Amino acid sequence: MRLRVEFTTEPFDLDEAPRHALVAREVIEAADLEAVDVGPFGNTAEGGADSVLTAVDALLRRTLEAGATRVSLQVNVVGAVGEGDT
């Protein structure tokens, strides 16, 4: 099954990207994901279920350790069972 994850980390800082936002970018860019779109107010990526769920685990752990006070995320199924990794 293929999944899409959309997430933001807070608190926001419009003048300079906070450490937790930079960590989030590092985690997502290093993961085995596709269609990665990292922006100032929202981020998305797609991949097989195992890859997305592994990345989400790392994302939550590392951004909270880096000072995020809130992580909002949504995970959607975008491909049928049997597409991508399981």
Side-chain angles (χ1 to χ4, degrees):
M1 136 179 20
R2 285 186 59 77
L3 302 176
R4 176 185 299 126
V5 61
E6 301 174 46
F7 67 91
T8 58
T9 61
E10 296 178 43
F12 295 116
D13 183 340
L14 297 177
D15 295 325
E16 184 177 331
R19 179 160 155 46
H20 59 79
L22 299 175
V23 167
R25 180 179 300 165
E26 290 171 10
V27 169
I28 292 302
E29 290 179 344
D32 184 24
L33 300 174
E34 304 144 18
V36 174
D37 184 16
V38 177
F41 299 108
N43 309 282
T44 62
E46 292 183 18
D50 288 342
S51 296
V52 170
L53 296 173
T54 297
V56 166
D57 177 65
L59 174 78
L60 291 171
R61 292 175 189 278
R62 294 194 48 209
T63 58
L64 293 169
E65 289 172 358
T69 57
R70 179 180 187 155
V71 180
S72 300
L73 67 92
Q74 178 173 307
V75 177
N76 295 302
V77 175
V78 294
V81 174
E83 295 180 25
D85 41 67
T86 55

